Amino acid sequence: MAYNVNEFDSQQVVAQDRKHVWHHLTQHKPFEEKDPMVIVKGLGMRVWDAKGNEYLDAVSGAVWTVNVGYGRTEIADAVRDQLVTLNYFAQTAGNVPAAQFAEKLISKMPGMSRVYYSNSGSEANEKAFKIVRQIAAKKYGGKKHKILFRERDYHGTTITALSATGQFERKNQYGPFTPGFVEVPHCCEYRSQWGDVDDYGLRAANEIERVILAEGADTVGALCLEPITAGGGVIEPPQGYWDRVQEICKKYDILLHIDEVVCGLGRTGKWFGYQHYGVKPDMVTMAKGVASGYAAISCTVTTEEVFNAFKEDDDARMGYFRDISTFGGCTAGPAAALVNMQIIENENLLENVTQQGEYLLGRLNGLMAKYDVIGDVRGKGLFVGFELVKDRETKEPMDESLAIAIGAHCMQNGVIIGRTNRSFKEFNNTICLSPALIATKVELDIIVNALDEALAELAPNA
Ligand SMILES: Cc1ncc(COP(=O)(O)O)c(C=O)c1O
């Protein structure tokens, strides 16, 4: 019998799920006693589960993805039309939406030039790592192959993307890791490694230079950074950081790879997070919001200079980028991405993000004034978070059980919020919000009020 999205036996579906589906990032032991959540419908910023409960989604599909909101029939229509015309052909050849989307995307990224398609953020990052390794092989006899990443940043789930990830708990038990990835210190000023200093941004950036010199600048090929650290606790790099980072990359001939998997496509109020800071990257990777989850698509975008490093006469048999992603040839991705971008433009969503983001930050600062347990509120656009602490003076982080309890309380009240999730030993203490770019004050008030109620019950001032 054909599956009909509107007709299913919800009890049966929950039973099927409970019996056979292995959920992501989830301990399943509790499902011996209770049902897992099964989401069956989404519209705007709201989703419904199989039991008929309605939720306001403050995290765009739980992981910063559904940027333009649920139920966009114009994206679905474009994908359907494309699929019946041509669903797939390997990206060894071009196709219509891939060409059209590439041009539109590059028009928003001055200085960038080429788009390489694949289908997840991890994979887009793997492509960038392979580009660095091959450039090292072609130009530097393999020596300049190391890739630096930052403590607290996340770059994906595959073993090599995890090798480039600065989150202890995410990596724990999955080693050994790919060699040649080296960590640099985080740049979270609230958690300053040097106490209270005026030039924190400069110091944190200078630490990168220290690592480069310790490793040997002639062994370091690239630096991979999130523009604003996402799952690591919503960390906006401090003043002075990016200028110095770029200076260092130039000085030592190191490629700058910006991971925009979360910040890309409007989340922070500009098309890309790095565009707030005057950064000129060599490579930019993106996924999640590129098609808002209407299709799987990721992109590794490079400058023409990086691209040209692979252009050679045919007799250089190993000279070109010998990489393929089967599903990078699915046309649904760029077809959805094209309409996704048009929606962001037509509905002025970048301006909305800036305005509503300020409102949301203001309201969260209001919560901080009310609850001592909030130690720091931070973020940009509709990408914000706050840290829970035992004591504002010592900044001792709260145990993750409080963040979990706040999430459960909000869920009970029909609001889905996010939190740092088994990322660090002691810093799973950040509540994260990333509502769809269409959010209005009405929805933001519902979200903040749910947090207010949860904090009043679970963490009232002494
Ligand atoms: C900054 C960042 N990079 C990369 C990834 C990996 O993306 P994916 O899960 O699509 O492989 C994520 C996922 O959360 C991310 O937050």
Side-chain angles (χ1 to χ4, degrees):
M1 198 175 72
Y3 168 69
N4 183 332
V5 286
N6 298 313
E7 277 175 31
F8 59 86
D9 176 337
S10 61
Q11 265 183 334
Q12 190 187 12
V13 168
V14 172
Q16 288 164 330
D17 181 281
R18 192 168 163 179
K19 186 146 187 224
H20 295 295
V21 179
W22 192 341
H23 290 216
H24 299 189
L25 280 180
T26 299
Q27 171 57 263
H28 283 62
K29 184 96 176 139
F31 299 146
E32 289 174 5
E33 310 289 327
K34 63 171 191 171
D35 287 336
M37 185 188 222
V38 176
I39 301 288
V40 298
K41 184 179 164 62
L43 191 64
M45 284 180 61
R46 287 181 166 75
V47 292
W48 287 262
D49 70 15
K51 296 184 173 171
N53 299 307
E54 178 180 317
Y55 302 92
L56 182 63
D57 177 5
V59 273
S60 298
V63 289
W64 312 291
T65 298
V66 189
N67 280 12
V68 298
Y70 300 96
R72 292 287 192 169
T73 51
E74 59 272 57
I75 302 183
D77 289 344
V79 169
R80 187 213 169 267
D81 291 349
Q82 178 57 49
L83 291 184
V84 294
T85 305
L86 176 74
N87 64 314
Y88 179 82
F89 197 91
Q91 264 292 304
T92 48
N95 65 63
V96 172
Q100 291 176 338
F101 177 64
E103 185 187 65
K104 188 154 183 73
L105 182 63
I106 292 300
S107 76
K108 308 298 182 195
M109 305 179 76
M112 305 308 286
S113 172
R114 296 281 168 171
V115 181
Y116 193 92
Y117 289 108
S118 54
N119 54 80
S120 72
S122 307
E123 203 188 355
N125 286 330
E126 294 267 358
K127 305 308 181 198
F129 300 152
K130 284 179 76 175
I131 287 171
V132 175
R133 290 283 163 90
Q134 199 174 346
I135 289 177
K138 285 162 66 93
K139 269 178 75 178
Y140 304 102
K143 200 165 179 205
K144 216 168 162 51
H145 68 275
K146 290 183 191 163
I147 294 166
L148 306 184
F149 64 94
R150 191 172 51 198
E151 188 183 356
R152 283 186 162 239
D153 280 11
Y154 176 76
H155 297 296
T157 184
T158 56
I159 294 289
T160 295
L162 269 188
S163 309
T165 283
Q167 301 184 355
F168 170 80
E169 289 194 340
R170 278 297 165 91
K171 297 171 80 155
N172 194 17
Q173 302 176 339
Y174 298 112
F177 296 104
T178 309
F181 287 82
V182 182
E183 188 174 271
V184 301
H186 72 74
C187 66
C188 180
E189 190 160 9
Y190 181 67
R191 295 285 170 195
S192 169
Q193 304 91 326
W194 308 286
D196 235 350
V197 292
D198 291 337
D199 58 349
Y200 181 82
L202 199 61
R203 284 196 193 208
N206 283 340
E207 281 295 304
I208 297 175
E209 184 172 42
R210 184 187 57 73
V211 173
I212 291 168
L213 294 176
E215 293 291 322
D218 57 346
T219 69
V220 179
L223 170 65
C224 174
L225 298 175
E226 289 184 66
I228 297 172
T229 301
V234 192
I235 302 164
E236 189 186 2
Q239 198 113 56
Y241 185 79
W242 280 114
D243 287 348
R244 182 72 186 122
V245 164
Q246 295 201 91
E247 234 172 66
I248 292 166
C249 286
K250 262 212 185 85
K251 183 169 170 191
Y252 299 108
D253 188 21
I254 289 170
L255 295 171
L256 182 55
H257 164 191
I258 305 288
D259 177 343
E260 290 274 352
V261 168
V262 171
C263 293
L265 280 296
R267 167 75 34 218
T268 64
K270 289 197 185 281
W271 284 106
F272 293 94
Y274 73 83
Q275 294 171 343
H276 290 283
Y277 310 106
V279 174
K280 294 192 178 68
D282 300 289
M283 292 186 283
V284 178
T285 47
M286 61 193 78
K288 298 180 187 281
V290 173
S292 289
Y294 284 83
I297 176 173
S298 64
C299 306
T300 306
V301 178
T302 75
T303 59
E304 194 68 6
E305 199 181 337
V306 167
F307 174 75
N308 279 339
F310 295 85
K311 260 200 219 162
E312 286 185 68
D313 291 335
D314 226 15
D315 52 354
R317 292 181 55 250
M318 296 288 153
Y320 61 96
F321 191 41
R322 286 168 292 107
D323 178 274
I324 182 165
S325 165
T326 297
F327 288 146
C330 285
T331 57
L338 203 51
V339 183
N340 186 67
M341 257 182 127
Q342 283 160 357
I343 290 172
I344 295 174
E345 284 182 321
N346 295 346
E347 299 182 13
N348 296 321
L349 294 184
L350 299 184
E351 290 92 277
N352 189 59
V353 169
T354 304
Q355 275 175 19
Q356 302 301 339
E358 277 169 22
Y359 178 73
L360 181 57
L361 262 188
R363 286 238 36 207
L364 292 181
N365 278 313
L367 284 188
M368 184 165 157
K370 203 166 157 189
Y371 299 103
D372 292 346
V373 73
I374 300 181
D376 193 33
V377 174
R378 50 192 187 234
K380 205 167 196 65
L382 286 174
F383 179 34
V384 297
F386 57 84
E387 267 199 54
L388 300 166
V389 292
K390 288 187 180 153
D391 179 329
R392 276 204 189 151
E393 283 299 306
T394 64
K395 300 184 182 175
E396 188 185 346
M398 263 291 173
D399 186 79
E400 69 179 336
S401 57
L402 179 62
I404 293 169
I406 290 172
H409 194 284
C410 289
M411 184 82 91
Q412 276 289 322
N413 282 338
V415 176
I416 301 174
I417 62 155
R419 60 183 170 82
T420 39
N421 188 352
R422 296 285 147 83
S423 302
F424 316 100
K425 266 202 196 111
E426 64 275 31
F427 291 121
N428 297 306
N429 65 330
T430 305
I431 298 291
C432 308
L433 302 176
S434 55
L437 317 189
I438 54 174
T440 67
K441 284 195 175 60
V442 175
E443 284 100 13
L444 298 180
D445 282 340
I446 295 171
I447 294 165
V448 178
N449 293 344
L451 284 166
D452 196 353
E453 281 179 36
L455 288 161
E457 190 165 321
L458 300 167
N461 286 354

